[in-house]
């Protein structure tokens, strides 16, 4: 079988993965504290080509790209003022802690609200934890003391969906919790759109390569079948 088919197909599969990742980033371009993903690619093991007559090395021929892993860019983004007292942002490194049904999760999304019981919760109704690891109380005037809201340092940070992360708590973070502000999304919409178009063009190139190789094989098969004798 023509190796070019496998190379082109591998490239198309890799670009499909990239398209899913880029589409998810674009969908969260306005989500506070969202962290963008980056896909890392590498080639399959290479084949060493040689001149069949002289044995001289010609070079390597790759067998197609492969998505090895996705890496999350955890760089803190700038804060933007909202004027809402329950909007909180962390200037610098650190994560808010929330108590979910699956245990403590961490987030940079500080768009919080007041629950009926007077505690601070995220948009999914999970309690926000303070520096004492207990639910934060909302003041009678509808504000919270930002100094009492926990900002935790993490190691081994891993995305879990819904702007949540898991990781190992490593004490208090160096970042400062500020009220009336939210962290911007980590997605540059313009750059991400360019990346999406480039990925689409690469996918289409793989399609055309497969169509070309398929047409060549059809012609070869037809020619061999019509040879006399």
């Amino acid at each position: 079988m023509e190796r070019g088919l496998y190379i082109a197909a591998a490239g198309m599969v890799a670009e499909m993965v990239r398209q899913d990742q880029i589409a998810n980033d674009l969908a969260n371009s306005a989500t506070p504290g969202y962290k963008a993903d980056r896909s890392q690619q590498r080639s399959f093991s290479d084949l060493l080509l040689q001149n069949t007559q002289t044995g001289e090395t010609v070079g390597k021929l790759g067998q197609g790209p492969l998505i090895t892993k996705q890496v999350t860019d955890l760089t803190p983004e700038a804060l933007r003022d909202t004027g809402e007292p329950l909007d909180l942002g962390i200037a610098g490194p650190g994560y808010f802690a929330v108590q979910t049904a699956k245990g403590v999760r961490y987030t940079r999304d500080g768009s919080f609200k007041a629950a009926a019981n007077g505690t601070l919760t995220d948009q999914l109704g999970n309690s926000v934890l303070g520096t004492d690891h207990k639910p934060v109380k909302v003041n009678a005037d509808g504000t919270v003391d930002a100094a009492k809201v926990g900002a935790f340092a993490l190691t081994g940070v891993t995305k879990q969906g819904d702007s949540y992360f898991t990781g190992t708590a490593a004490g208090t973070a160096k970042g400062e919790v500020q009220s009336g502000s939210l962290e911007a999304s980590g997605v540059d919409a313009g750059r991400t759109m360019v990346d999406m178009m480039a990925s689409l063009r690469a996918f289409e190139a793989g399609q055309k390569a497969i169509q070309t190789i398929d047409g060549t094989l059809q012609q070869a098969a037809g020619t061999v079948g019509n040879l006399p004798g």
Side-chain angles (χ1 to χ4, degrees):
M1 181 62 71
E2 173 60 50
R3 279 188 64 241
L5 288 174
Y6 291 101
I7 295 174
M12 292 173 65
V13 171
E15 294 306 327
M16 288 173 64
V17 174
R18 286 192 65 208
Q19 284 284 317
D20 289 342
Q21 170 252 303
I22 293 172
N24 184 61
D25 283 350
L26 279 177
N28 288 280
S29 60
T31 301
Y34 177 81
K35 300 303 175 188
D37 292 318
R38 304 283 184 265
S39 296
Q40 293 186 352
Q41 294 185 2
R42 69 170 176 83
S43 297
F44 294 162
S45 57
D46 296 329
L47 295 181
L48 188 63
L49 302 182
Q50 293 180 330
N51 187 306
T52 56
Q53 295 183 352
T54 66
E56 181 181 358
T57 299
V58 176
K60 293 183 177 181
L61 177 63
Q63 297 183 11
L66 172 69
I67 297 290
T68 56
K69 61 179 178 180
Q70 289 187 348
V71 179
T72 303
D73 184 357
L74 300 174
T75 304
E77 299 295 328
L79 302 185
R80 55 180 178 84
D81 293 333
T82 65
E84 296 294 331
L86 297 184
D87 283 345
L88 302 176
I90 301 176
Y95 296 84
F96 299 112
V98 295
Q99 184 66 54
T100 73
K102 296 182 179 180
V104 177
R105 295 292 184 265
Y106 300 91
T107 183
R108 294 278 298 188
D109 184 355
S111 53
F112 300 137
K113 60 182 181 179
N117 62 0
T119 60
L120 187 68
T121 68
D122 64 9
Q123 295 299 316
L124 296 179
N126 298 307
S127 296
V128 180
L129 303 181
T131 54
D132 57 358
H133 299 273
K134 296 180 180 180
V136 176
K137 295 292 185 179
V138 178
N139 299 326
D141 60 358
T143 63
V144 293
D145 185 354
K148 294 182 179 180
V149 179
F152 301 94
L154 291 183
T155 59
V157 180
T158 305
K159 258 188 176 182
Q160 296 296 316
D162 292 324
S163 294
Y164 289 147
F165 299 89
T166 56
T168 302
T172 303
K174 296 180 180 179
E176 178 187 1
V177 179
Q178 298 181 4
S179 61
S181 61
L182 289 174
E183 182 183 14
S185 172
V187 177
D188 183 333
R191 172 187 169 184
T192 306
M193 281 297 299
V194 172
D195 289 345
M196 175 171 279
M197 295 303 297
S199 178
L200 179 60
R201 294 290 182 267
F203 184 87
E204 291 175 341
Q207 280 184 313
K208 291 180 181 179
I210 288 178
Q211 291 171 351
T212 300
I213 294 171
D214 181 61
T216 302
L217 292 175
Q218 287 182 356
Q219 289 183 345
T223 302
V224 172
N226 291 327
L227 289 177

